[in-house]
Amino acid sequence: MKTTRNTTAKTTILEIIKHSDVALSHTEIQTLSNNICDRVTIYRVLDRLVGEDVIHKIVNLDGTIKYASCHHVHNDAEHTHNHIHFSCEKCHLVTCLENVEPTFKLPPNYQVKEVNFTLSGFCPNCL
Amino acid sequence: MKTTRNTTAKTTILEIIKHSDVALSHTEIQTLSNNICDRVTIYRVLDRLVGEDVIHKIVNLDGTIKYASCHHVHNDAEHTHNHIHFSCEKCHLVTCLENVEPTFKLPPNYQVKEVNFTLSGFCPNCL
DNA sequence: AAATAAAACGCAACTGTGTTGCATTAATAA
DNA sequence: TTATTAATGCAACACAGTTGCGTTTTATTT
Ligand SMILES: [Mn+2]
Ligand SMILES: [Mn+2]
Ligand SMILES: [Zn+2]
Ligand SMILES: [Zn+2]
């Protein structure tokens, strides 16, 4: 079976994401990491971390992708990422609103596997 | 003031989107339009149609972008696109669930301008 | 109907993001 | 310490979207 290894790149990148209070893009992570590794490695590390459910992926309204750490309880059985993300049009910061989980009622026979809820507008700092 | 004109490209593209029951990507529109115009023109027409609130933009979980027509009442004052979009992992079709509008309660001082709610999984046809 | 203004267009070149193949390096387990 | 293979670096590629600019087309005015 395929095991996962703890490398310096992976450790560094995870630390960067964990210590950030906003979601970060691949490019932002690259800058913050002082080019500790090749950009391809960052892509691969991010994929691994997402696969391990340590971080989660956020798709912005413009299609850009950001990453944030998973702060919730690791109940495993019901590990979901159904909170809302807010993307500020002015400061461009993307924040996880972990406590805001939207409710909705789907028509029958839809099987949901992943969700992405993104809002954009002005954050409290830029209002 | 800057007026908008009705060109053959714009008319054709809008017809394609209106007659489709699923959301379409730029590339899909290009194929369906039989290369009636340059691909750059399609980008520009799509931007214009979004600006005129005739179609709306959908961001998928993989960051790809699709477009669908606005079927709702044009009440103008409260023209919103806060319905859910479902992206099937098997048939890859993206559908507007216009009747499914999620409810959520934001912390104070957030000013929302745009929303994007996307689910992925299996649609009724592929279940 | 002809002249005018500028919105829209085509083309070519460019940018940014993410991917792939393959040889090399380094983490883990024996 | 050695063996195995996950992870990396590098170079090349794919692809979506953008930009500049000269030309065409639309819609308005005369
Ligand atoms: Mn999470
Ligand atoms: Mn709409
Ligand atoms: Zn802000
Ligand atoms: Zn399907």
Side-chain angles (χ1 to χ4, degrees):
Chain A
M1 109 227 186
K2 178 154 169 163
T3 61
T4 178
R5 294 178 184 177
N6 287 322
T7 63
T8 53
K10 185 181 167 187
T11 310
T12 309
I13 292 169
L14 183 54
E15 283 308 298
I16 290 170
I17 296 173
K18 271 190 176 165
H19 289 141
S20 173
D21 55 341
V22 293
L24 300 171
S25 68
H26 167 272
T27 314
E28 287 162 345
I29 292 168
Q30 187 178 15
T31 307
L32 290 170
S33 69
N34 266 337
N35 286 29
I36 197 184
C37 65
D38 193 77
R39 37 180 237 102
V40 180
T41 301
I42 299 180
Y43 282 115
R44 299 200 260 229
V45 166
L46 289 172
D47 282 349
R48 245 179 295 153
L49 290 172
V50 168
E52 295 169 11
D53 265 329
V54 178
I55 64 175
H56 62 284
K57 207 171 174 174
I58 302 159
V59 186
N60 271 313
L61 277 103
D62 57 359
T64 59
I65 289 174
K66 302 235 175 185
Y67 297 87
S69 60
C70 293
H71 292 300
H72 44 66
V73 238
H74 242 267
N75 197 349
D76 243 20
E78 38 171 328
H79 182 194
T80 50
H81 301 267
N82 49 357
H83 54 271
I84 280 187
H85 299 114
F86 192 90
S87 171
C88 179
E89 288 179 9
K90 198 182 168 209
C91 66
H92 295 109
L93 296 184
V94 176
T95 322
C96 292
L97 303 177
E98 308 237 17
N99 301 322
V100 188
E101 298 194 356
T103 58
F104 52 90
K105 197 170 142 289
L106 278 186
N109 298 321
Y110 280 94
Q111 190 179 93
V112 179
K113 294 208 164 182
E114 274 184 88
V115 305
N116 188 73
F117 299 125
T118 311
L119 311 183
S120 81
F122 293 113
C123 77
N125 289 335
C126 297
L127 202 59
Chain B
M1 108 222 186
K2 178 153 167 166
T3 60
T4 178
R5 294 177 182 176
N6 287 322
T7 63
T8 52
K10 186 180 166 189
T11 310
T12 309
I13 291 169
L14 183 54
E15 283 307 298
I16 289 170
I17 296 173
K18 271 189 175 165
H19 289 140
S20 172
D21 55 342
V22 293
L24 300 172
S25 68
H26 167 272
T27 315
E28 287 163 345
I29 292 168
Q30 188 178 13
T31 307
L32 290 170
S33 70
N34 265 337
N35 287 29
I36 198 184
C37 64
D38 192 77
R39 35 178 240 104
V40 180
T41 301
I42 299 180
Y43 282 116
R44 299 199 259 230
V45 166
L46 290 172
D47 282 348
R48 244 179 296 151
L49 290 172
V50 168
E52 295 169 10
D53 265 328
V54 178
I55 65 175
H56 61 285
K57 209 171 172 173
I58 302 159
V59 186
N60 272 313
L61 277 102
D62 57 358
T64 58
I65 289 174
K66 303 237 175 184
Y67 297 88
S69 60
C70 293
H71 293 299
H72 43 67
V73 237
H74 242 267
N75 198 350
D76 243 17
E78 38 169 329
H79 182 193
T80 51
H81 301 267
N82 50 357
H83 54 271
I84 280 188
H85 299 114
F86 192 91
S87 172
C88 179
E89 288 179 9
K90 198 182 168 209
C91 68
H92 295 109
L93 296 185
V94 176
T95 323
C96 292
L97 304 177
E98 308 238 16
N99 301 323
V100 187
E101 298 195 357
T103 57
F104 52 90
K105 195 170 143 289
L106 278 186
N109 298 321
Y110 280 95
Q111 190 179 93
V112 179
K113 294 209 165 181
E114 275 184 88
V115 305
N116 189 72
F117 298 124
T118 311
L119 311 183
S120 80
F122 292 114
C123 77
N125 290 335
C126 297
L127 201 59

